[in-house]
Amino acid sequence: MAKKKVEYLCEKCGAKFPKWTGRCGHCSAWESLKELTSVASSRSTWVDSGNKPIPLNDIHVDSEAERWKTGVFEFDRVIGGGIVQGSFGLLGGTPGVGKSTLILQLLARIARLNKKALYVTGEESGHQIKQRSNRLLIRQEDILIMVESEVEQILNAMKEHKPDFIVIDSIQTLFTNQFTASAGSVTQVRESANLLMKYAKRNDVSVLLIGHVTKEGDIAGPRTLEHMVDYVLYLEGEKREQHRLLRAVKNRFGTISEVGLFKMTAKGLVEVSKPNNLFVDKFNNPHPGMAIFAANEGTRTLFLEIQVLVGDTEQKNPARTCIGMDRNRLQVIVAVLEKHLQMDFSSNDIYVNLAEGFRVIEPAMDLPVTAALLSSYLLKPLPPKSIFIGEVALTGEFRSVPALQERLYEAARCGFELVFLPELAVKTGKFSQKGVQVVSVKDVQELMSLLS
Ligand code: TYD
Ligand code: MG
């Protein structure tokens, strides 16, 4: 008889191990490994067993699955045109970013579509939710509120009230009484999600789970949830800043390239449909170390302000600090400048900040960061009404990036006059746009001579 395979699961991070140890080899948590019983693992799907293979042509679908357009356009767009009936999704974000606020506003819209909405919370009292909904001016809409964290109770309520749309705030507060692990542990999060998913898929109801993101960026360890669900959305933004970006990182019903933009106000989240009209005015006053980047977010162009400060230091390890961009990319840019311009930053602290709490991972930000860095170093402002777009290669050359024509178009629309682009892109792409002058930059040497 085959020996039953025993695996151990870290309840903190979800890593699996063949042997028990006192400390997780992945996240270094103590005493966090628990035996993963075969019961737990066999349940990790909503699909019934015992199905026979059938030809694809014999499977009939009535029509396109029904989508509910919530009317919050920034949300509908990100999710691919509305919530698909019967979908199971996840909304992640750091605590306090505005997940519950967004959800309450969505539920009100869904209630207006004559859908029955159920909001389950294990985080707040009914009282607190009422206060928030008053603030959000949600008065007439009929939303069922349930303060509960036991999955079995929630399933009973779902059977009784038959809601069309259920939000769980948050998945970390749920537990099923089939397991003894504490709420928020990987086992509870995964098994609770499984039970809900089974019900949702069999009854064709839509469920959205809210999950807190830990500092490491995981939805509290249970990465496992990301592959189970139909879509994963993240609400991003700095608490003290107004802007919030809603991003899809997985979507079985649409693309993942769209981004929704909101502003947090005293009356909740407000959609921002023409973002650049808000930002552009501030850019007319260039300072040394400041550059404007035309970021490509989904089908939109956003103008973002990059600030770089190059300061002197006596420290052996000078600072390379980045807010809103990847530190490795800054290190590459510094290395390229040191190599190809024979500059020496070993006694300079370098700080990069992307204004208003935005985050960018596009390599197209290399050129504006390089320009801002040189501008700070030389103490010379960049030309007014100018923007920069391009990736830097290790050879010191600037390289082309996607969606240049769209960015040029938006630059012209918003009143920018100069656009610095990689020479390679200008040569091959013939980019032109009435109203803006394109300046081609071959490499870091040419950029330096243009600036000084
Ligand atoms: P919340 O939705 O509770 O965040 P999460 O569920 O992601 O933890 O929102 C928290 C913050 O939003 C809180 O600090 C207050 C602020 N807020 C507003 O500024 N305006 C509002 O109308 C509401 C409801 C919240
Ligand atoms: Mg909340």
Side-chain angles (χ1 to χ4, degrees):
M1 207 176 85
K3 212 171 142 204
K4 198 175 121 212
K5 199 173 142 221
V6 181
E7 273 193 308
Y8 295 88
L9 177 83
C10 169
E11 294 223 311
K12 282 268 161 53
C13 70
K16 282 184 192 161
F17 301 93
K19 267 204 193 124
W20 190 87
T21 48
R23 189 175 195 187
C24 170
H26 185 69
C27 72
S28 310
W30 290 100
E31 306 278 336
S32 64
L33 299 201
K34 295 273 143 56
E35 192 174 312
L36 183 67
T37 59
S38 51
V39 193
S41 49
S42 70
R43 276 168 202 268
S44 52
T45 168
W46 59 274
V47 181
D48 288 321
S49 59
N51 291 327
K52 302 254 176 326
I54 51 169
L56 180 62
N57 286 338
D58 290 356
I59 303 177
H60 299 287
V61 195
D62 300 342
S63 62
E64 259 278 328
E66 199 193 335
R67 275 188 192 266
W68 311 331
K69 284 203 174 21
T70 63
V72 180
F73 298 112
E74 294 297 297
F75 177 85
D76 289 345
R77 221 161 33 94
V78 170
I79 200 168
I83 297 172
V84 173
Q85 183 169 343
S87 61
F88 197 79
L90 181 64
L91 167 68
T94 48
V97 73
K99 300 178 295 299
S100 305
T101 307
L102 175 66
I103 284 310
L104 205 54
Q105 291 180 277
L106 281 179
L107 284 169
R109 301 296 187 106
I110 287 169
R112 274 188 233 162
L113 299 173
N114 281 327
K115 303 282 175 200
K116 202 171 199 180
L118 172 65
Y119 181 64
V120 181
T121 176
E123 304 243 331
E124 286 159 310
S125 66
H127 204 80
Q128 285 170 310
I129 293 170
K130 183 69 191 175
Q131 280 175 334
R132 173 175 296 150
S133 70
N134 283 341
R135 240 173 115 178
L136 301 175
L137 306 176
I138 297 170
R139 300 245 160 83
Q140 276 90 38
E141 292 83 0
D142 217 351
I143 306 167
L144 284 173
I145 306 289
M146 183 183 190
V147 181
E148 181 57 69
S149 33
E150 190 187 319
V151 180
E152 284 72 19
Q153 300 290 347
I154 298 169
L155 288 172
N156 284 341
M158 283 159 76
K159 281 171 200 151
E160 187 186 335
H161 295 278
K162 303 214 165 20
D164 303 295
F165 187 54
I166 298 129
V167 175
I168 306 287
D169 191 1
S170 66
I171 184 68
Q172 276 98 355
T173 60
L174 288 200
F175 68 94
T176 150
N177 52 32
Q178 299 175 3
F179 293 92
T180 50
S182 55
S185 63
V186 172
T187 312
Q188 287 292 6
V189 163
R190 199 189 46 197
E191 296 307 317
S192 303
N194 258 319
L195 290 170
L196 290 168
M197 175 139 86
K198 253 187 213 164
Y199 180 88
K201 292 288 172 191
R202 287 181 183 158
N203 296 282
D204 204 25
V205 299
S206 310
V207 176
L208 178 56
L209 308 175
I210 296 181
H212 292 299
V213 177
T214 59
K215 269 200 232 90
E216 294 80 37
D218 282 10
I219 298 191
R223 266 275 156 82
T224 33
L225 285 189
E226 290 201 5
H227 77 254
M228 279 167 58
V229 299
D230 298 320
Y231 61 92
V232 181
L233 308 176
Y234 276 95
L235 189 62
E236 301 173 353
E238 287 293 321
K239 245 195 269 181
R240 60 202 154 74
E241 302 280 358
Q242 274 203 316
H243 296 100
R244 300 287 182 274
L245 289 179
L246 183 69
R247 235 181 251 284
V249 296
K250 166 178 177 176
N251 193 351
R252 286 192 184 143
F253 314 113
T255 68
I256 51 165
S257 57
E258 280 298 341
V259 172
L261 194 63
F262 296 90
K263 233 170 64 179
M264 183 60 97
T265 71
K267 291 197 177 89
L269 288 162
V270 177
E271 298 179 59
V272 181
S273 51
K274 289 225 163 51
N276 292 323
N277 298 359
L278 282 174
F279 307 138
V280 174
D281 282 355
K282 296 180 306 199
F283 300 155
N284 289 336
N285 219 342
H287 294 283
M290 177 191 138
I292 309 300
F293 169 49
N296 183 236
E297 291 286 4
T299 49
R300 282 194 308 208
T301 299
L302 272 186
F303 297 112
L304 304 178
E305 178 190 336
I306 297 168
Q307 303 151 359
V308 179
L309 179 73
V310 181
D312 293 332
T313 183
E314 312 264 281
Q315 297 286 332
K316 262 232 231 66
N317 291 315
R320 301 286 182 257
T321 304
C322 291
I323 303 170
M325 85 174 269
D326 180 16
R327 187 160 174 264
N328 289 336
R329 285 216 82 87
L330 172 64
Q331 281 171 326
V332 167
I333 291 171
V334 171
V336 165
L337 293 178
E338 289 187 327
K339 174 82 184 173
H340 298 284
L341 295 181
Q342 286 81 47
M343 296 173 87
D344 178 9
F345 292 105
S346 61
S347 53
N348 292 115
D349 285 334
I350 301 177
Y351 303 93
V352 179
N353 179 31
L354 204 55
E356 315 232 12
F358 284 100
R359 267 200 72 79
V360 167
I361 42 173
E362 257 198 298
M365 200 165 73
D366 294 349
L367 176 48
V369 170
T370 312
L373 201 161
L374 293 177
S375 156
S376 173
Y377 183 82
L378 301 168
L379 280 176
K380 275 181 81 165
L382 297 169
K385 300 194 175 178
S386 63
I387 57 175
F388 296 79
I389 314 159
E391 179 176 353
V392 70
L394 294 182
T395 56
E397 259 182 326
F398 292 111
R399 299 270 166 94
S400 187
V401 296
L404 280 178
Q405 190 62 52
E406 289 83 345
R407 302 189 217 218
L408 275 184
Y409 173 84
E410 186 68 5
R413 192 184 77 77
C414 293
F416 288 102
E417 291 169 1
L418 278 182
V419 182
F420 290 79
L421 293 182
E423 186 187 80
L424 274 172
V426 179
K427 266 192 193 151
T428 51
K430 307 250 178 325
F431 294 103
S432 71
Q433 181 66 46
K434 220 177 126 206
V436 292
Q437 188 194 338
V438 171
V439 185
S440 86
V441 206
K442 182 166 182 278
D443 48 25
V444 288
Q445 285 94 339
E446 193 174 26
L447 180 67
M448 186 59 157
S449 56
L450 279 173
L451 301 186
S452 52

PDB file of all heavy atoms in Angstrom, residues 94-101 132 135-136 264-268, ligand 1:
ATOM      1  N   THR A  94      -3.944  47.737   0.508  1.00  0.00           N
ATOM      2  CA  THR A  94      -3.435  47.903   1.864  1.00  0.00           C
ATOM      3  C   THR A  94      -4.559  48.422   2.767  1.00  0.00           C
ATOM      4  O   THR A  94      -5.500  49.045   2.278  1.00  0.00           O
ATOM      5  CB  THR A  94      -2.275  48.915   1.888  1.00  0.00           C
ATOM      6  OG1 THR A  94      -2.691  50.063   1.149  1.00  0.00           O
ATOM      7  CG2 THR A  94      -1.021  48.348   1.264  1.00  0.00           C
ATOM      8  N   PRO A  95      -4.484  48.172   4.059  1.00  0.00           N
ATOM      9  CA  PRO A  95      -5.535  48.648   4.954  1.00  0.00           C
ATOM     10  C   PRO A  95      -5.673  50.175   4.867  1.00  0.00           C
ATOM     11  O   PRO A  95      -4.674  50.881   4.831  1.00  0.00           O
ATOM     12  CB  PRO A  95      -5.042  48.232   6.344  1.00  0.00           C
ATOM     13  CG  PRO A  95      -4.115  47.099   6.093  1.00  0.00           C
ATOM     14  CD  PRO A  95      -3.474  47.367   4.776  1.00  0.00           C
ATOM     15  N   GLY A  96      -6.910  50.627   4.769  1.00  0.00           N
ATOM     16  CA  GLY A  96      -7.143  52.073   4.761  1.00  0.00           C
ATOM     17  C   GLY A  96      -7.103  52.721   3.394  1.00  0.00           C
ATOM     18  O   GLY A  96      -7.341  53.919   3.267  1.00  0.00           O
ATOM     19  N   VAL A  97      -6.844  51.934   2.348  1.00  0.00           N
ATOM     20  CA  VAL A  97      -6.724  52.549   1.027  1.00  0.00           C
ATOM     21  C   VAL A  97      -8.093  52.944   0.471  1.00  0.00           C
ATOM     22  O   VAL A  97      -8.219  53.858  -0.339  1.00  0.00           O
ATOM     23  CB  VAL A  97      -5.941  51.626   0.060  1.00  0.00           C
ATOM     24  CG1 VAL A  97      -6.772  50.426  -0.363  1.00  0.00           C
ATOM     25  CG2 VAL A  97      -5.476  52.381  -1.170  1.00  0.00           C
ATOM     26  N   GLY A  98      -9.148  52.265   0.930  1.00  0.00           N
ATOM     27  CA  GLY A  98     -10.493  52.629   0.480  1.00  0.00           C
ATOM     28  C   GLY A  98     -11.291  51.490  -0.134  1.00  0.00           C
ATOM     29  O   GLY A  98     -12.254  51.726  -0.866  1.00  0.00           O
ATOM     30  N   LYS A  99     -10.933  50.247   0.195  1.00  0.00           N
ATOM     31  CA  LYS A  99     -11.633  49.102  -0.385  1.00  0.00           C
ATOM     32  C   LYS A  99     -13.096  49.069   0.044  1.00  0.00           C
ATOM     33  O   LYS A  99     -13.997  48.914  -0.780  1.00  0.00           O
ATOM     34  CB  LYS A  99     -10.949  47.783   0.030  1.00  0.00           C
ATOM     35  CG  LYS A  99      -9.523  47.658  -0.409  1.00  0.00           C
ATOM     36  CD  LYS A  99      -8.898  46.358   0.066  1.00  0.00           C
ATOM     37  CE  LYS A  99      -8.768  46.220   1.564  1.00  0.00           C
ATOM     38  NZ  LYS A  99      -7.921  47.225   2.231  1.00  0.00           N
ATOM     39  N   SER A 100     -13.319  49.207   1.355  1.00  0.00           N
ATOM     40  CA  SER A 100     -14.699  49.126   1.846  1.00  0.00           C
ATOM     41  C   SER A 100     -15.530  50.269   1.286  1.00  0.00           C
ATOM     42  O   SER A 100     -16.712  50.099   0.992  1.00  0.00           O
ATOM     43  CB  SER A 100     -14.722  49.169   3.372  1.00  0.00           C
ATOM     44  OG  SER A 100     -13.904  48.146   3.881  1.00  0.00           O
ATOM     45  N   THR A 101     -14.907  51.423   1.153  1.00  0.00           N
ATOM     46  CA  THR A 101     -15.621  52.576   0.596  1.00  0.00           C
ATOM     47  C   THR A 101     -16.031  52.297  -0.841  1.00  0.00           C
ATOM     48  O   THR A 101     -17.185  52.478  -1.221  1.00  0.00           O
ATOM     49  CB  THR A 101     -14.698  53.814   0.655  1.00  0.00           C
ATOM     50  OG1 THR A 101     -14.218  53.953   1.990  1.00  0.00           O
ATOM     51  CG2 THR A 101     -15.422  55.060   0.239  1.00  0.00           C
ATOM     52  N   ARG A 132     -20.869  55.173   7.535  1.00  0.00           N
ATOM     53  CA  ARG A 132     -20.156  55.366   6.284  1.00  0.00           C
ATOM     54  C   ARG A 132     -21.126  55.584   5.130  1.00  0.00           C
ATOM     55  O   ARG A 132     -20.936  56.451   4.290  1.00  0.00           O
ATOM     56  CB  ARG A 132     -19.267  54.159   5.990  1.00  0.00           C
ATOM     57  CG  ARG A 132     -18.659  54.252   4.617  1.00  0.00           C
ATOM     58  CD  ARG A 132     -17.688  53.153   4.330  1.00  0.00           C
ATOM     59  NE  ARG A 132     -16.539  53.189   5.186  1.00  0.00           N
ATOM     60  CZ  ARG A 132     -15.858  52.122   5.556  1.00  0.00           C
ATOM     61  NH1 ARG A 132     -16.236  50.933   5.131  1.00  0.00           N
ATOM     62  NH2 ARG A 132     -14.811  52.217   6.321  1.00  0.00           N
ATOM     63  N   ARG A 135     -22.326  59.005   5.005  1.00  0.00           N
ATOM     64  CA  ARG A 135     -21.309  59.883   4.446  1.00  0.00           C
ATOM     65  C   ARG A 135     -21.269  59.799   2.931  1.00  0.00           C
ATOM     66  O   ARG A 135     -21.003  60.765   2.241  1.00  0.00           O
ATOM     67  CB  ARG A 135     -19.956  59.427   4.984  1.00  0.00           C
ATOM     68  CG  ARG A 135     -19.256  60.488   5.761  1.00  0.00           C
ATOM     69  CD  ARG A 135     -18.048  59.872   6.358  1.00  0.00           C
ATOM     70  NE  ARG A 135     -16.845  60.457   5.808  1.00  0.00           N
ATOM     71  CZ  ARG A 135     -15.643  60.105   6.204  1.00  0.00           C
ATOM     72  NH1 ARG A 135     -15.493  59.155   7.094  1.00  0.00           N
ATOM     73  NH2 ARG A 135     -14.597  60.684   5.692  1.00  0.00           N
ATOM     74  N   LEU A 136     -21.521  58.607   2.430  1.00  0.00           N
ATOM     75  CA  LEU A 136     -21.460  58.377   0.983  1.00  0.00           C
ATOM     76  C   LEU A 136     -22.792  58.704   0.311  1.00  0.00           C
ATOM     77  O   LEU A 136     -22.963  58.453  -0.876  1.00  0.00           O
ATOM     78  CB  LEU A 136     -21.100  56.915   0.685  1.00  0.00           C
ATOM     79  CG  LEU A 136     -19.766  56.435   1.255  1.00  0.00           C
ATOM     80  CD1 LEU A 136     -19.585  54.953   0.991  1.00  0.00           C
ATOM     81  CD2 LEU A 136     -18.620  57.209   0.636  1.00  0.00           C
ATOM     82  N   MET A 264     -10.060  60.196  -3.570  1.00  0.00           N
ATOM     83  CA  MET A 264     -10.749  60.026  -2.288  1.00  0.00           C
ATOM     84  C   MET A 264     -11.165  61.398  -1.772  1.00  0.00           C
ATOM     85  O   MET A 264     -10.328  62.282  -1.620  1.00  0.00           O
ATOM     86  CB  MET A 264      -9.818  59.325  -1.294  1.00  0.00           C
ATOM     87  CG  MET A 264     -10.457  59.041   0.050  1.00  0.00           C
ATOM     88  SD  MET A 264     -11.911  57.984  -0.012  1.00  0.00           S
ATOM     89  CE  MET A 264     -11.226  56.379   0.365  1.00  0.00           C
ATOM     90  N   THR A 265     -12.451  61.565  -1.566  1.00  0.00           N
ATOM     91  CA  THR A 265     -12.944  62.846  -1.070  1.00  0.00           C
ATOM     92  C   THR A 265     -13.730  62.617   0.214  1.00  0.00           C
ATOM     93  O   THR A 265     -13.874  61.478   0.654  1.00  0.00           O
ATOM     94  CB  THR A 265     -13.900  63.494  -2.084  1.00  0.00           C
ATOM     95  OG1 THR A 265     -15.106  62.726  -2.091  1.00  0.00           O
ATOM     96  CG2 THR A 265     -13.313  63.525  -3.478  1.00  0.00           C
ATOM     97  N   ALA A 266     -14.262  63.683   0.780  1.00  0.00           N
ATOM     98  CA  ALA A 266     -15.045  63.547   2.006  1.00  0.00           C
ATOM     99  C   ALA A 266     -16.327  62.770   1.746  1.00  0.00           C
ATOM    100  O   ALA A 266     -16.932  62.230   2.670  1.00  0.00           O
ATOM    101  CB  ALA A 266     -15.371  64.920   2.560  1.00  0.00           C
ATOM    102  N   LYS A 267     -16.736  62.698   0.471  1.00  0.00           N
ATOM    103  CA  LYS A 267     -17.950  61.946   0.144  1.00  0.00           C
ATOM    104  C   LYS A 267     -17.603  60.661  -0.591  1.00  0.00           C
ATOM    105  O   LYS A 267     -18.343  60.212  -1.461  1.00  0.00           O
ATOM    106  CB  LYS A 267     -18.885  62.803  -0.700  1.00  0.00           C
ATOM    107  CG  LYS A 267     -19.473  63.958   0.075  1.00  0.00           C
ATOM    108  CD  LYS A 267     -20.683  64.520  -0.670  1.00  0.00           C
ATOM    109  CE  LYS A 267     -21.344  65.643   0.103  1.00  0.00           C
ATOM    110  NZ  LYS A 267     -20.786  66.955  -0.206  1.00  0.00           N
ATOM    111  N   GLY A 268     -16.475  60.074  -0.263  1.00  0.00           N
ATOM    112  CA  GLY A 268     -16.107  58.796  -0.860  1.00  0.00           C
ATOM    113  C   GLY A 268     -15.271  58.942  -2.111  1.00  0.00           C
ATOM    114  O   GLY A 268     -14.711  60.004  -2.373  1.00  0.00           O
TER     115      GLY A 268
HETATM  116  P1  TYD B   1     -11.797  52.212   3.916  1.00  0.00           P
HETATM  117  O1  TYD B   1     -12.733  52.039   2.781  1.00  0.00           O
HETATM  118  O2  TYD B   1     -12.277  51.896   5.275  1.00  0.00           O
HETATM  119  O3  TYD B   1     -10.438  51.418   3.645  1.00  0.00           O
HETATM  120  P2  TYD B   1     -10.166  49.835   3.606  1.00  0.00           P
HETATM  121  O4  TYD B   1     -11.469  49.138   3.597  1.00  0.00           O
HETATM  122  O5  TYD B   1      -9.353  49.637   2.361  1.00  0.00           O
HETATM  123  O6  TYD B   1      -9.344  49.527   4.819  1.00  0.00           O
HETATM  124  O7  TYD B   1     -11.318  53.731   3.821  1.00  0.00           O
HETATM  125  C1  TYD B   1     -10.465  54.215   4.754  1.00  0.00           C
HETATM  126  C2  TYD B   1     -10.098  55.658   4.568  1.00  0.00           C
HETATM  127  O8  TYD B   1     -10.849  56.399   3.645  1.00  0.00           O
HETATM  128  C3  TYD B   1     -10.300  56.307   5.898  1.00  0.00           C
HETATM  129  O9  TYD B   1      -9.017  56.674   6.373  1.00  0.00           O
HETATM  130  C4  TYD B   1     -11.158  57.474   5.670  1.00  0.00           C
HETATM  131  C5  TYD B   1     -11.196  57.653   4.204  1.00  0.00           C
HETATM  132  N1  TYD B   1     -12.514  58.052   3.719  1.00  0.00           N
HETATM  133  C6  TYD B   1     -12.673  59.296   3.131  1.00  0.00           C
HETATM  134  O10 TYD B   1     -11.727  60.068   3.024  1.00  0.00           O
HETATM  135  N2  TYD B   1     -13.915  59.664   2.660  1.00  0.00           N
HETATM  136  C7  TYD B   1     -14.987  58.841   2.775  1.00  0.00           C
HETATM  137  O11 TYD B   1     -16.096  59.230   2.344  1.00  0.00           O
HETATM  138  C8  TYD B   1     -14.821  57.578   3.399  1.00  0.00           C
HETATM  139  C9  TYD B   1     -15.974  56.644   3.561  1.00  0.00           C
HETATM  140  C10 TYD B   1     -13.572  57.222   3.843  1.00  0.00           C
END
